[in-house]
Amino acid sequence: MQQKILLIGGPGTGKTSVLNELIKRDYFCFPEISREVTLKAKEQGIEQMFLTQPLLFSQMLLEGREQQFLDAEKSDSELVFFDRGIPDVHAYMDFFKTEYPSIYIEKSKQYKYDKVFHFSPWKDIHEIDNERYETFEETTAIDVFLMKSYSDLGYNIINVPFGSLDERTNFVLNSLSCEL
């Protein structure tokens, strides 16, 4: 039976680095799609789509993450890893105080992940780049909304300790192997 494993946390907390390491180790992984959406918007002349058109941006994320979930179900991989999940979309809208239709919560309840690994804000590794413009303080505040969204949905959240890339990746894999 397939397990859908989710990596959550604010921007710049190490999720993508661990996901890339999992890919190197031949695990089936879905990357974060917000960078793709952000880059497409920039190509169309929209600098910070989430800030200027938050509902359109969020709708595109929701559709993309839902499609990732459905694509995972078509796979025969026993373990599938996701860099961010469907509930992240409404968590971010809550952070930005953006009103949104109930479909965001409904989709979060419809598509359930088996395990959720949380990456806490970590100042030592936080960086700002062309697609990640949140300060460390914003990352910390966003993290509160992410944790609340997943907790409200009943998820048991597993905290990934700080450490090297190998240590963090191995923590995730070892946590899963204990339960297989």
Side-chain angles (χ1 to χ4, degrees):
M1 181 161 173
Q2 185 181 78
Q3 286 194 58
K4 292 174 183 65
I5 313 303
L6 186 57
L7 309 181
I8 68 165
T13 56
K15 300 175 304 298
T16 301
S17 295
V18 168
L19 189 89
N20 288 337
E21 181 62 23
L22 289 165
I23 291 168
K24 286 181 188 173
R25 296 183 190 191
D26 292 326
Y27 286 95
F28 187 46
C29 302
F30 284 98
E32 162 58 277
I33 60 167
S34 69
R35 285 182 179 262
E36 180 182 321
V37 172
T38 301
L39 288 172
K40 281 183 183 175
K42 282 186 177 186
E43 289 171 5
Q44 298 170 1
I46 304 167
E47 269 311 303
Q48 293 184 350
M49 186 181 202
F50 187 85
L51 299 177
T52 59
Q53 298 180 46
L55 276 178
L56 176 60
F57 182 80
S58 297
Q59 179 184 335
M60 292 171 74
L61 289 182
L62 181 66
E63 290 169 359
R65 290 191 180 135
E66 182 179 12
Q67 189 59 55
Q68 286 180 332
F69 196 98
L70 295 170
D71 289 346
E73 291 186 332
K74 295 175 190 171
S75 140
D76 58 0
S77 295
E78 287 185 30
L79 290 175
V80 180
F81 293 89
F82 298 83
D83 186 346
R84 296 199 176 278
I86 292 169
D88 282 56
V89 181
H90 73 262
Y92 268 78
M93 287 192 288
D94 288 342
F95 169 74
F96 283 105
K97 297 176 177 58
T98 302
E99 290 188 29
Y100 52 90
S102 62
I103 190 72
Y104 290 90
I105 303 292
E106 292 164 17
K107 294 286 185 180
S108 292
K109 290 178 179 176
Q110 178 182 353
Y111 297 104
K112 298 293 276 184
Y113 301 90
D114 297 293
K115 299 281 181 219
V116 177
F117 288 91
H118 172 249
F119 291 72
S120 297
W122 186 6
K123 195 165 192 128
D124 290 352
I125 66 168
H126 184 269
E127 293 178 357
I128 293 174
D129 63 22
N130 289 333
E131 289 86 40
R132 179 191 304 125
Y133 44 83
E134 296 89 351
T135 65
F136 182 74
E137 292 71 26
E138 289 171 319
T139 290
T140 302
I142 289 167
D143 192 66
V144 171
F145 284 87
L146 288 166
M147 292 296 285
K148 181 180 182 333
S149 292
Y150 282 92
S151 294
D152 287 352
L153 290 164
Y155 282 102
N156 177 33
I157 300 168
I158 303 162
N159 287 304
V160 177
F162 297 148
S164 70
L165 179 57
D166 274 344
E167 289 168 339
R168 296 180 105 194
T169 306
N170 290 337
F171 175 84
V172 170
L173 293 172
N174 289 338
S175 296
L176 295 171
S177 67
C178 291
E179 298 183 17
L180 294 179

